[in-house]
Amino acid sequence: MPRCKTKELVLWFMDSERSADLSAITSRKTLCPRITATQPPLPRVRPRQEPATATSGTMMEGGMQLLNRDGHSISHNSKRHYHDSFVSMNRMRQRGLLCDIVLHVSNKEIKAHKVVLASCSPYFHAMFTNEMSESRQTHVTLHDIDPQALEQLVQYAYTAEIVVGEGNVQTLLPAASLLQLNGVRDACCKFLLSQLDPSNCLGIRGFADTHSCSDLLKSAHKYVLQHFVEVSKTEEFMLLPLKQVLDLISSDNLNVPSEEEVYRAVLSWVKHDIDGRRQHVPWLMKCVRLPLLRRDFLMSNVDTELLVRHHSECKDLLIEALKYHLMPEQRGVLSNSRTRPRRCEGASPVLFAVGQCAPEGGGSLFAIHGDCEAYDTRTDRWHMVASMSTRRARVGVAAIGNRLYAVGGYDGTSDLATVESYDPITNSWQPEVSMGTRRSCLGVAVLHGLLYAAGGYDGASCLNSAERYDPLTSTWTSIAAMSTRRRYVRVATLDGSLYAVGGYDSSSHLATVEKYDPQSNTWTAIANMLSRRSSAGVAVLDGMLYVAGGNDGTSCLNSVERFNPKTNTWEGVAPMNIRRSTHDLVSMDGWLYAVGGNDGSSSLNSIEKYNPRSNKWVAASCMFTRRSSVGVAVLELLNFPPPSSPTLSVSSTSL
């Protein structure tokens, strides 16, 4: 049986059609006065004369309506009639008056009126109105129902009120289901939903499944997936049958910070009854996404585990995972259900703006900061989050799984090779392995779980070199260099390839674009853009590569164009409302967001978004801070914002 979190919390359920004060009715010894011959005859009612223009009635106190049309009648409507009648019937039931049915359950007898029970319960309606033997009986015995629950439900039939709490919900819900009292059943489900906790959610899920409460079952299952790490440490999880464990760990919607948590949960479940469960290890390991484990964890925890090494099927899975690690350039070909990252159901996109280069004190000097903020689409609010450990502008920003990476950049003194990552669960930044080359004004993108960094400036010259980072092995590896040196370049991923777009080669702003194939490790030129662009925003939406704004060497641009990989052609689309360069562009919820940047004279905190269906740009909520040379990426998060983060709600205004 599921356990509830608190003993004090109860749910008061009341039927609104029959709810009011229960103290208004008084009894009389004589229900109707006797009319004798000595009483005077009733007076004759004379037609009432009304003006010819009267067309509407007049409402009198007590609910009487005078009908002025003919003047011969009145209409009376008592607001309390239903309530008062049921109060009176309940008092009669309690005194055993006019009762025509006695319900027997266990050793308990409950007197009632058939008409009342049949009026609110389809179960009793069928029993008393059809050609069933019970319809002619005055005593009926019920089975498989709790006596106290039945008494409460009979009382509810008269009063429309019932209290649902920890002490009665487990007997009340099945009884209400049997009697088809759906209102009470829903109240029980609502109470159990309010009590969901990692320690009881599996029990509540099983309870809902047993009694066919589909909405509660769905909500409880979703809760289990969203809180899997905590749930996997409970006694209820350890007692689950194999099939339910397999269903959980094979779900794409499992919310885990890393696949290591799934592996630990599986081993804990097996070791809870090792003799009875060791034979299930191969089936369980097929549902653990071993290729997504970090290599050091794979070698030190999985490869050395005797429960895994004992089965040849597990060895094959381990080889598959190591092959995925050792051949990163082939990950597109090696993809299967075990290499697909999990995505928590209920997670929503959150846009992060990282780093800035903004005017200092309103003057012409620019200051570089490490502060960051994030936009929650659900609430249309910006929140300040933890600052980076290093000040960065001209930084590359990208997301892998549930972590945000800030790559390279410029700290006001030197160009950087350092990298750090943001964990939204702890709201903190941690250092990562540095790149092999210092890079600011670089382009970054993620493909098959690998982080690519291309081009940029090392403090001395424009770069055409590129490298990639594997978070599973924590290593950077050089890849083929681009054919052109590119500073202020942007990189995006489309159809399994990287695209390096525009930039500046130390002498001119570029319209050229080249594409990288990770399997062949080669760059290939594609069609030139319609305009020269450096410091542009680049993003992919609906299979098209969009490039917005930038600088063509003479002015800051607001023009936008997009590339169709099927035709190898560029076409112009609606321009942005504001000229922007050193901004960033990202796709989110079917829109393109252009964030911050510089309009040629000042840094911007404004944002605008593009709807490809209407081919229009509209304003979005502004950031806290003006940011040029900003990096932007999106994380899918279940719980946001972090605790104690300042918020800003700015209405969208016309740009």
Side-chain angles (χ1 to χ4, degrees), residues 462 485-489 502-510 534:
C462 270
R485 296 179 180 273
R486 299 178 187 271
R487 176 183 181 183
Y488 298 112
V489 63
Y504 179 70
D505 66 0
S506 294
S507 60
S508 62
H509 298 264
L510 304 172
S534 66

Side-chain angles (χ1 to χ4, degrees), residues 339-359:
T339 65
R340 184 170 58 244
R342 302 181 192 264
R343 183 185 183 276
C344 177
E345 182 181 0
S348 297
V350 178
L351 186 155
F352 286 80
V354 176
Q356 70 172 110
C357 181

Side-chain angles (χ1 to χ4, degrees), residues 41-97:
L42 293 173
R44 189 171 185 176
V45 179
R46 297 178 58 188
R48 183 176 178 181
Q49 302 297 320
E50 296 292 344
T53 57
T55 59
S56 61
T58 304
M59 178 63 72
M60 298 181 64
E61 186 177 0
M64 283 191 278
Q65 176 77 33
L66 293 182
L67 303 180
N68 295 334
R69 183 167 294 172
D70 55 20
H72 291 284
S73 62
I74 65 172
S75 174
H76 171 72
N77 178 20
S78 173
K79 302 293 186 183
R80 296 182 55 84
H81 176 76
Y82 295 116
H83 168 263
D84 293 348
S85 298
F86 272 94
V87 169
S88 179
M89 285 187 283
N90 190 39
R91 288 181 174 174
M92 288 190 289
R93 179 185 70 84
Q94 292 168 343
R95 295 167 59 189
L97 298 177

Side-chain angles (χ1 to χ4, degrees), residues 618-645:
V618 296
S621 295
C622 295
M623 294 182 287
F624 280 100
T625 308
R626 296 177 179 271
R627 296 177 186 270
S628 62
S629 301
V630 63
V632 171
V634 174
L635 291 179
E636 298 279 342
L637 300 179
L638 180 63
N639 298 311
F640 188 83
S644 305
S645 62

Side-chain angles (χ1 to χ4, degrees), residues 343 347-353 374-378 380-382 539-542 585-595 607-613 620-621 632-637:
R343 183 185 183 276
S348 297
V350 178
L351 186 155
F352 286 80
Y375 173 67
D376 188 350
T377 56
R378 292 168 293 191
D380 191 31
R381 289 176 179 268
W382 282 91
V540 171
L541 179 63
D542 297 333
L585 191 70
V586 68
S587 63
M588 182 171 66
D589 282 341
W591 295 72
L592 288 177
Y593 285 75
V595 180
I607 296 173
E608 51 188 308
K609 59 183 184 179
Y610 173 75
N611 184 344
R613 294 161 291 282
S621 295
V632 171
V634 174
L635 291 179
E636 298 279 342
L637 300 179

Side-chain angles (χ1 to χ4, degrees), residues 540-608:
V540 171
L541 179 63
D542 297 333
M544 306 283 269
L545 178 68
Y546 285 81
V547 184
N551 193 302
D552 64 0
T554 59
S555 64
C556 192
L557 305 173
N558 67 341
S559 62
V560 183
E561 54 188 295
R562 67 184 177 191
F563 175 73
N564 186 338
K566 295 179 181 179
T567 61
N568 193 33
T569 58
W570 292 87
E571 64 175 347
V573 297
M576 294 183 291
N577 297 306
I578 292 180
R579 297 176 180 272
R580 298 177 189 268
S581 67
T582 71
H583 61 297
D584 209 350
L585 191 70
V586 68
S587 63
M588 182 171 66
D589 282 341
W591 295 72
L592 288 177
Y593 285 75
V595 180
N598 189 292
D599 64 2
S601 60
S602 61
S603 297
L604 304 170
N605 68 340
S606 64
I607 296 173
E608 51 188 308

Side-chain angles (χ1 to χ4, degrees), residues 105 172 202 227 289 297 384 437 482 499 546 616 641 643 655:
V105 54
L172 202 57
L202 287 169
H227 299 83
R289 305 185 179 185
F297 185 91
M384 295 303 298
T437 303
M482 296 180 290
Y499 288 77
Y546 285 81
K616 290 183 179 178
L655 293 171

Side-chain angles (χ1 to χ4, degrees), residues 347-423:
S348 297
V350 178
L351 186 155
F352 286 80
V354 176
Q356 70 172 110
C357 181
E360 180 79 351
S364 59
L365 296 177
F366 282 78
I368 294 172
H369 301 281
D371 63 347
C372 310
E373 53 189 298
Y375 173 67
D376 188 350
T377 56
R378 292 168 293 191
T379 60
D380 191 31
R381 289 176 179 268
W382 282 91
H383 303 264
M384 295 303 298
V385 296
S387 297
M388 293 180 289
S389 59
T390 303
R391 297 182 303 165
R392 298 176 192 267
R394 308 168 193 167
V395 59
V397 177
I400 303 179
N402 57 0
R403 296 187 79 89
L404 193 73
Y405 288 81
V407 183
Y410 179 70
D411 65 2
T413 303
S414 60
D415 298 278
L416 305 172
T418 58
V419 180
E420 52 189 307
S421 67
Y422 173 76
D423 182 353

